[in-house]
């Protein structure tokens, strides 16, 4: 099921998401392209993932639903800002592509990847783990309902098993 | 040129007759400054999330393009989120202003020097990031022009206002984050905001 980014994008649209903050990531490449191309969406490229916590909080203050796309390595950059999300009960929808998890070749990705669910849970973010392409869109739909309906922070972790195992050799061959 | 500006007077002047201006303040002294000028439900003063004030302003400005948005924050807070100036420069929100009240100190932790005390020029950073206007303010004569930009001219605007390093009485806004969020949304979006 290679069209999971298209399905995920439609789910975001149907959930009323109109502002998307992102730090570029190979796993989210297609989804980012779809967000940039959509006239109703505002795609905001961030210099670090932490900025997206403020961005989406500001959007909610202004009556707009936001989502945040990042790789698992960026989760650690968000930790202190997530304290605001929790204290203010800001809705937050995080879509996280996993590294350091399933057949990872880069050892530097492993510590943050392995700690990602625990770090999010520790900051009060409800974690959904999508281990197959089919599971992603329904899970994002549920996470969006939890975020915007129940004013919660919710994350969907997209497994490295779905995205594929990256290696520098494969990238060089492209 | 040494500054003679007092931070509370500067902030009061910028917020006078503010009409429907939306204001985000960084944690610490600038949150007390905007509250001293008169608490409002259209203020969102931070008590944490250091480094994120300008980004909250960006999200709000993009969500509400017909309203003017002002972020007032301190030099220490701005330095922690310097990348957000680049992010704002890319988005070019015409209705956003970021004003740094620069006393060259970390005021809440014992008045230790920040990078700006050693000459780091935040206005030059903002200009390099593509802000429509970026200025350093050291005297009262420059404030009227800045006020005009905040309330009307096409932005994004940035100002680094050099102020005296003063220890002032605390004027505290509400602390409950949920209350601050809800009152802001109700004042901006109407009574039905939380039925969304």
């Amino acid at each position: 099921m290679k069209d999971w980014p298209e399905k995920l994008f439609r789910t975001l649209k149907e959930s009323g998401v109109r502002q998307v903050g992102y730090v570029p990531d190979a796993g989210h490449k297609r989804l980012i392209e779809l967000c940039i191309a959509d006239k109703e969406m505002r795609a905001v490229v961030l210099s670090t993932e932490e900025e997206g916590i403020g961005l989406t909080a500001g959007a909610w203050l202004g009556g707009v639903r936001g989502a945040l796309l990042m790789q698992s390595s960026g989760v650690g950059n968000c930790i202190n800002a997530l304290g605001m999300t929790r204290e203010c009960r800001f809705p937050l929808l995080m879509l996280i592509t996993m590294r350091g998890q399933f057949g990872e070749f880069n050892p530097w990705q492993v510590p943050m990847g392995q700690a990602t669910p625990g770090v999010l849970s520790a900051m009060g973010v409800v974690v959904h783990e999508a281990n197959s392409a089919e599971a992603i869109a329904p899970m994002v739909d549920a996470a969006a309902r939890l975020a915007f309906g129940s004013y919660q922070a919710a994350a969907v972790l997209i497994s490295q098993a779905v995205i594929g195992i990256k290696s520098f050799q494969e990238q060089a061959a492209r | 040129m040494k500054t003679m500006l007092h931070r509370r007077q500067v902030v009061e002047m910028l917020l006078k007759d503010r009409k429907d201006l939306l204001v985000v303040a960084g944690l610490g002294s600038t949150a007390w400054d905007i509250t001293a000028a008169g608490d409002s439900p259209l203020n969102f003063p931070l008590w944490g999330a250091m480094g994120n004030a300008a980004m909250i302003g960006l999200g709000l400005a993009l969500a509400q393009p017909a309203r003017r948005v002002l972020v007032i924050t301190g030099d220490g807070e701005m330095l922690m989120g310097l990348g957000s100036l680049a992010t704002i420069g890319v988005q070019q929100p015409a209705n956003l202003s970021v004003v740094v009240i620069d006393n060259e100190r970390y005021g809440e932790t014992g008045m230790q020097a920040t990078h700006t005390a050693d000459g780091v020029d935040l206005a030059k950073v903002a200009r390099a990031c593509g802000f429509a206007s970026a200025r350093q303010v050291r005297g009262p004569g420059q404030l009227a022009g800045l006020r005009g930009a905040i309330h009307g001219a096409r932005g994004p605007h940035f100002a680094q206002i050099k102020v005296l390093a003063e220890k002032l009485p605390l004027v505290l806004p509400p602390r409950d984050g949920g209350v601050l969020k809800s009152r802001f949304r109700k004042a901006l979006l109407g009574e039905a905001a939380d039925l969304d």
Side-chain angles (χ1 to χ4, degrees), chain A residues 72-73 75-76 79 96 98-101 109-123 127 129 157:
Chain A
S72 50
S73 51
V75 169
I79 299 174
I96 299 162
M98 293 303 296
R99 292 289 308 268
Q101 185 206 36
Q109 284 281 0
V110 177
M112 191 64 237
Q114 288 296 316
T116 291
V119 163
L120 289 168
S121 297
M123 290 310 294
V127 176
E129 300 199 44
L157 311 188

Side-chain angles (χ1 to χ4, degrees), chain B residues 50-189:
Chain B
M50 187 165 175
N52 244 301
M55 285 305 301
I56 296 169
L58 176 62
L60 180 57
L62 296 178
Q64 289 284 330
R67 302 285 289 256
R68 305 297 297 189
V69 176
L70 171 61
V71 174
I72 301 184
T73 193
D75 42 311
E77 208 274 349
M78 190 73 252
L79 284 161
M80 201 174 276
L82 219 44
S84 60
L85 294 178
T87 298
I88 290 167
V90 170
Q91 295 302 319
Q92 290 291 310
N95 56 335
L96 178 65
S97 301
V98 178
V99 169
V100 175
I101 303 294
D102 180 11
N103 65 353
E104 305 182 349
R105 301 285 189 281
Y106 289 102
E108 302 303 310
T109 56
M111 298 298 262
Q112 299 91 341
T114 66
H115 295 21
T116 62
D118 272 319
V120 170
D121 188 329
L122 296 174
K124 277 188 185 162
V125 174
R127 192 171 305 124
C129 288
F131 275 67
S133 81
R135 65 194 92 194
Q136 240 186 38
V137 173
R138 290 173 184 272
Q142 296 166 271
L143 287 173
L146 172 61
R147 193 179 181 287
I150 290 167
H151 287 268
R154 185 175 178 80
H157 303 291
F158 182 91
Q160 178 184 16
I161 306 181
K162 291 285 183 183
V163 297
L164 296 161
E166 306 170 279
K167 258 299 182 193
L168 297 166
L170 300 177
V171 185
L172 304 181
R175 275 203 305 284
D176 185 322
V179 167
L180 290 166
K181 173 198 68 175
S182 291
R183 72 173 195 167
F184 190 99
R185 279 171 51 89
K186 234 176 217 180
L188 175 62
L189 306 168

